[in-house]
Amino acid sequence: GQNIDQPTEMTATEGAIVQINCTYQTSGFNGLFWYQQHAGEAPTFLSYNVLDGLEEKGRFSSFLSRSKGYSYLLLKELQMKDSASYLCAVRDDGGYQKVTFGIGTKLQVIP
Amino acid sequence: DTAVSQTPKYLVTQMGNDKSIKCEQNLGHDTMYWYKQDSKKFLKIMFSYNNKELIINETVPNRFSPKSPDKAHLNLHINSLELGDSAVYFCASSPEGKLGGNTIYFGEGSWLTVV
């Protein structure tokens, strides 16, 4: 099975940088996703990592270390609209490649 | 041109009733899912279908029965609703194959409240 850990809440200041960590223990691994979910809305895709290293996409970057079972999502130049939950999700390497989500980190951006 | 659409968006019903939630995707994806997000915001997979075939069936009470008439539709029927069934139910879909990482695209959610 999958066990995914991430902080439940974080607070950061507008314009700053914030790093949201995710650790996982899995019986098989075939990729890690980050999703953003605003209150009352559906999760939307942010990033996908399957190889070690950093993937950059505008203000958002995601890092993966498979040997450490660790990922982080880095948000730069924070804006008020970045206040949302950030969900870490892991895909296993089974035949159906099930994706399991973590509890999510609720980020509050303050002025 | 909604990608994954589900209806109804809001549903308030009494304990013991039977209700259905419908889902359709126009992305041409082969795989569809039902996820449940409870009051603690934990998003848990319930079912997954690939080309109308059930491939993932998590530990879900058998009061929940999914049906996929074709690969673009996945409906969820719930019998004898209980208070604990109150949650947001998200339909989702993803393409076949490893290219793009099988990104999951979610519908807007169906808010179910059982009273």
Side-chain angles (χ1 to χ4, degrees), chain B residues 6 24 30 55 80 82 84 86 92 94 98 103 110:
Chain B
Q6 51 184 109
E24 175 181 6
D30 291 313
I55 58 172
S80 304
E82 300 177 357
S86 296
S94 67
K98 296 187 178 159
T103 301
S110 294

Side-chain angles (χ1 to χ4, degrees), chain A residues 10-27:
Chain A
M10 296 182 73
T11 302
T13 306
E14 190 177 14
I17 299 173
V18 72
Q19 178 174 311
I20 303 174
N21 295 324
C22 171
T23 57
Y24 61 90
Q25 297 91 42
T26 62
S27 53

Side-chain angles (χ1 to χ4, degrees), chain A residues 48-83:
Chain A
Y48 171 71
N49 295 68
V50 67
L51 299 176
D52 289 351
L54 188 69
E55 294 277 344
E56 296 186 78
K57 207 186 272 188
R59 293 188 300 115
F60 292 5
S61 304
S62 57
F63 172 83
L64 175 67
S65 169
R66 288 173 298 172
S67 62
K68 294 181 180 175
Y70 168 69
S71 173
Y72 67 73
L73 179 69
L74 195 70
L75 292 77
K76 301 176 189 172
E77 300 167 21
L78 278 172
Q79 302 174 9
M80 299 300 290
K81 68 177 182 179
D82 297 330
S83 293

Side-chain angles (χ1 to χ4, degrees), chain A residues 30 33 35 37 40-43 45 48 87 91 96-99 101-103, chain B residues 35 37 40-43 45 55-56 58 90 98 101-104 106-107 111:
Chain A
N30 197 14
F33 299 85
Y35 277 77
Q37 186 177 23
E41 297 183 10
F45 171 78
Y48 171 71
L87 310 175
R91 188 174 70 176
Y96 302 122
Q97 305 201 0
K98 188 173 80 173
V99 175
F101 283 80
I103 191 79
Chain B
Y35 278 85
Q37 190 168 45
K40 295 180 180 169
K41 307 301 180 189
F42 191 30
L43 192 64
I45 189 166
I55 58 172
I56 294 174
E58 293 295 284
F90 285 101
K98 296 187 178 159
N102 294 110
T103 301
I104 298 176
F106 287 88
W111 270 251

Side-chain angles (χ1 to χ4, degrees), chain A residues 1 6 70 85:
Chain A
Q6 51 182 132
Y70 168 69
S85 285

Side-chain angles (χ1 to χ4, degrees), chain B:
Chain B
D1 55 344
T2 306
V4 182
S5 58
Q6 51 184 109
T7 56
K9 181 158 186 176
Y10 299 102
L11 185 55
V12 181
T13 188
Q14 289 189 324
M15 277 173 55
N17 283 352
D18 303 338
K19 290 293 177 188
S20 291
I21 308 171
K22 295 186 176 182
C23 179
E24 175 181 6
Q25 55 96 3
N26 62 5
L27 296 166
H29 290 166
D30 291 313
T31 306
M32 294 186 73
Y33 312 82
W34 279 108
Y35 278 85
K36 177 181 179 181
Q37 190 168 45
D38 58 25
S39 56
K40 295 180 180 169
K41 307 301 180 189
F42 191 30
L43 192 64
K44 282 185 69 173
I45 189 166
M46 300 173 70
F47 302 104
S48 176
Y49 273 73
N50 181 265
N51 252 318
K52 303 194 298 175
E53 180 190 346
L54 180 66
I55 58 172
I56 294 174
N57 184 350
E58 293 295 284
T59 309
V60 176
N62 58 14
R63 297 182 295 104
F64 290 78
S65 50
K67 273 209 175 87
S68 182
D70 55 62
K71 77 172 193 177
H73 295 84
L74 180 61
N75 303 323
L76 183 65
H77 187 75
I78 316 171
N79 289 326
S80 304
L81 277 156
E82 300 177 357
L83 293 176
D85 298 332
S86 296
V88 185
Y89 292 85
F90 285 101
C91 177
S93 72
S94 67
E96 190 68 22
K98 296 187 178 159
L99 196 62
N102 294 110
T103 301
I104 298 176
Y105 297 84
F106 287 88
E108 292 189 342
S110 294
W111 270 251
L112 172 65
T113 303
V114 182
V115 296

